[in-house]
Amino acid sequence: MQIVIEGIEPYNELFFDNCFYNSFFPIIRAFHKDELPFFLNENIVYELSQKANEAVIGCRYRQRHSFAELVDSLYLGALTKHRSEDVTADIKSAISKGRPVILWVDCYYEPIRLDTYLKEHWPHTLLVYGFDDNEQRFQVIEHKHKENLSYEKQSLSYHDLQEAYRGYLQYFISEGHLTFYEIYELDGQELISGEFGKIEVVKHLSDLYSSQMGDVDKRGLAQLQKFEDTVKHLQEEQYSSATYYSKVVEGLNKIINCKKVEKIRMAKLIDDPSILGTMDEIVNLWVQVRAVVAKTLYTNRMGSHIWPGILDKLSKLVSLEGLIGTDIEIYCKRLQEK
C-alpha cells in the first residue's frame, strides 16, 4: 500500500519559536488555514543574559494562549500521545485517514541528516505525510541542517524512523511531554480569515502592545538599554573572546527571527506606511549588527574596534522601539475615533 497526503509543502519562510511549528505550519496550510493566529499569540520581549562580565541580548516569546486553544480556534483536532508503543502502525493508521503526523525524534539516528547522523544527539520534529509499504519508507518533511532554514521533502525508512523515535524517548523525553501529534480537520467549519475589522485590529494591537506602552520594561527595552551599557564597559578579553561572539550571534539570530514574525503580523494589522517603515528599519538594523559580529567571528578579527558602530545601531534601535510603541498607541486611538 502507498498513501501520500496531498498539499503538504515545506515551510521555509521563517523560523518561529521552535522546530515544531515548521512541521505544523505545512499542515495548517494544507488544510487552508492561516498561521497568523500563532504569530498574534506571542508577546515578543527582549531578554538580557548576563554571566560574569558577559552580556548577551536575545528575544523570547511570551505566550498568551495555549497551543490547544489555538488549534481549537482553527477548528482542528489533535490526537496526541506521550509515547507510541508502535510508532510505524500509529503513523500509517493516521495517514490512512488523511491525518499528517508530527513526531519528535533524535536526529542522531537519521541517515538523511548528514549534520547529525551518528555525530550528535539532537531533538527535533519530523512531519510525516505519506508511506510506501513496498519500499518500506515514510514521506517526511525534514531539515537539511540545524543551522539553516532548509526544510524539504525527503523519505526515511520505517526502521530509521523507529530508531530516531526510540532515540528521542531514550535521551530527551520528559514527564508529560507529548511526542506524537496526529492532526485532523473538524467537519463543518469555515476557513478562518486572515482579514480583520477595525474592532479586531484594535483588540489585537492592544493585546500585543498596550501592556507594553508606558512601561519600557514590559517590552524588554530596559534589557536592550542595559546590554548597550554593558557592552560599553566590556574588558578587552571579552572583546577578543570567540566564545562570547558566538553567544552574541546566537542571541541576534533569535532577535531577527522574532522581529520577522512581528513584521508579518504588523503588516496584517496596520496600514500605516510610517509604522511599517519603522518596523522594516528595526529588522534591517538587527541584520546589520549580526552581519558585523558574524563576519568578525568567522574572520577571527575580534576586538574592541567593531563595537562603536554596533553601539550606534543599538542606540538607534532603542529609539525606534520606543517610537513604534507610541505610534501604535496613536494608531489605535485614531481607529477608535473613526
Side-chain angles (χ1 to χ4, degrees), residues 262-309:
E262 189 170 2
K263 178 180 174 179
I264 288 173
R265 73 187 188 192
M266 200 173 284
K268 289 281 190 177
L269 297 173
I270 296 173
D271 61 3
D272 186 317
S274 176
I275 296 175
L276 298 178
T278 301
M279 191 70 238
D280 279 336
E281 191 172 355
I282 289 170
V283 174
N284 290 337
L285 279 169
W286 280 121
V287 170
Q288 291 170 29
V289 171
R290 181 179 63 180
V292 172
V293 178
K295 182 178 179 180
T296 302
L297 172 63
Y298 298 133
T299 59
N300 199 30
R301 299 181 62 186
M302 293 161 289
S304 59
H305 61 282
I306 74 161
W307 289 95

Side-chain angles (χ1 to χ4, degrees), residues 20-83:
F20 177 88
Y21 290 96
N22 288 81
S23 295
F24 182 65
F25 288 163
I27 297 174
I28 62 175
R29 284 190 167 186
F31 290 162
H32 308 293
K33 309 291 184 181
D34 197 320
E35 64 268 26
L36 184 61
F38 294 88
F39 296 163
L40 293 173
N41 186 50
E42 307 286 350
N43 284 107
I44 295 172
V45 184
Y46 285 110
E47 186 172 51
L48 181 67
S49 173
Q50 276 191 296
K51 188 176 182 181
N53 293 323
E54 290 185 349
V56 176
I57 192 69
C59 233
R60 67 183 176 90
Y61 293 109
R62 185 178 293 160
Q63 193 176 74
R64 295 185 294 118
H65 303 286
S66 71
F67 175 78
E69 289 174 319
L70 292 179
V71 168
D72 287 344
S73 76
L74 289 172
Y75 305 110
L76 295 174
L79 176 63
T80 60
K81 296 176 185 286
H82 175 65
R83 178 190 297 262

Side-chain angles (χ1 to χ4, degrees), residues 1-5 8 84 86-96 99-103 105 109-112 126-142 152-166 180:
M1 181 182 293
Q2 179 182 12
I3 298 176
V4 176
I5 299 172
I8 301 285
S84 170
D86 189 341
V87 69
T88 296
D90 286 343
I91 292 173
K92 289 173 63 178
S93 173
I95 291 172
S96 296
R99 300 177 174 184
V101 170
I102 299 173
L103 191 72
V105 297
Y109 298 97
E110 288 184 74
I112 58 176
L126 281 177
L127 167 53
V128 191
Y129 66 97
F131 67 87
D132 186 335
D133 280 335
N134 292 329
E135 298 291 332
Q136 293 283 290
R137 298 188 75 83
F138 287 111
Q139 301 301 314
V140 302
I141 288 181
E142 172 58 307
E152 62 182 15
K153 292 182 175 180
Q154 301 191 55
S155 68
L156 191 65
S157 74
Y158 291 179
H159 172 75
D160 290 332
L161 183 141
Q162 290 164 2
E163 287 298 294
Y165 183 64
R166 180 191 59 77
F180 181 101

